Amino acid sequence: MTTSYSARFQEVEAVRFYESNEYGSGSYSTAIWQLQRPVLERILTDFRRERKEPVRLLDFACGTGRVLASLEALVDSAEGIDISENMVAMARTK
Ligand SMILES: C[S@@+](CC[C@H](N)C(=O)[O-])C[C@H]1O[C@@H](n2cnc3c(N)ncnc32)[C@H](O)[C@@H]1O
């Protein structure tokens, strides 16, 4: 039986795996994230510089809050939404 994408991240064990293995120290995903992060930071910094109004960040499907936690200092407000309570519980810790 296959698990739908929206069901895949519901269980605590899936959240633990995502946080500790998928994005654990030395993982492939972490290596890619280290390349993506400065690019996102530059995009947001440029975006904010060009605007007078407050910049709000909405992270749809925020998961464990990895991206939100990295970028929140660069915006005026940052919010995340996700359908997994357990993913959101991890995001709240950050
Ligand atoms: C692979 S994780 C990615 C989390 C985060 N964006 C990141 O890059 O670390 C996918 C996330 O999408 C969420 N998700 C799946 N379907 C969704 C939907 N229809 N609405 C909101 N979130 C959803 C899951 O609960 C899960 O937290």
Side-chain angles (χ1 to χ4, degrees):
M1 195 177 85
T2 57
T3 305
S4 73
Y5 192 69
S6 52
R8 192 172 145 198
F9 300 96
Q10 296 294 322
E11 302 302 323
V12 170
E13 196 45 51
V15 178
R16 281 202 200 106
F17 183 87
Y18 192 76
E19 182 77 352
S20 306
N21 293 66
E22 183 74 33
Y23 281 97
S25 173
S27 74
Y28 177 78
S29 294
T30 294
I32 296 298
W33 172 230
Q34 283 164 356
L35 298 174
Q36 293 172 326
R37 184 177 175 170
V39 176
L40 275 178
E41 288 173 348
R42 193 167 59 246
I43 290 169
L44 262 187
T45 301
D46 291 349
F47 185 81
R48 195 176 194 189
R49 193 183 311 115
E50 292 161 6
R51 278 165 180 75
K52 289 192 172 65
E53 64 272 18
V55 173
R56 298 173 64 195
L57 171 68
L58 172 64
D59 186 350
F60 175 80
C62 64
T64 57
R66 172 178 53 86
V67 178
L68 270 179
S70 299
L71 300 180
E72 67 177 348
L74 301 176
V75 294
D76 297 288
S77 68
E79 292 160 89
I81 59 170
D82 200 285
I83 56 169
S84 166
E85 280 186 35
N86 286 317
M87 287 296 243
V88 170
M90 175 64 75
R92 285 201 179 99
T93 68
K94 303 176 186 176

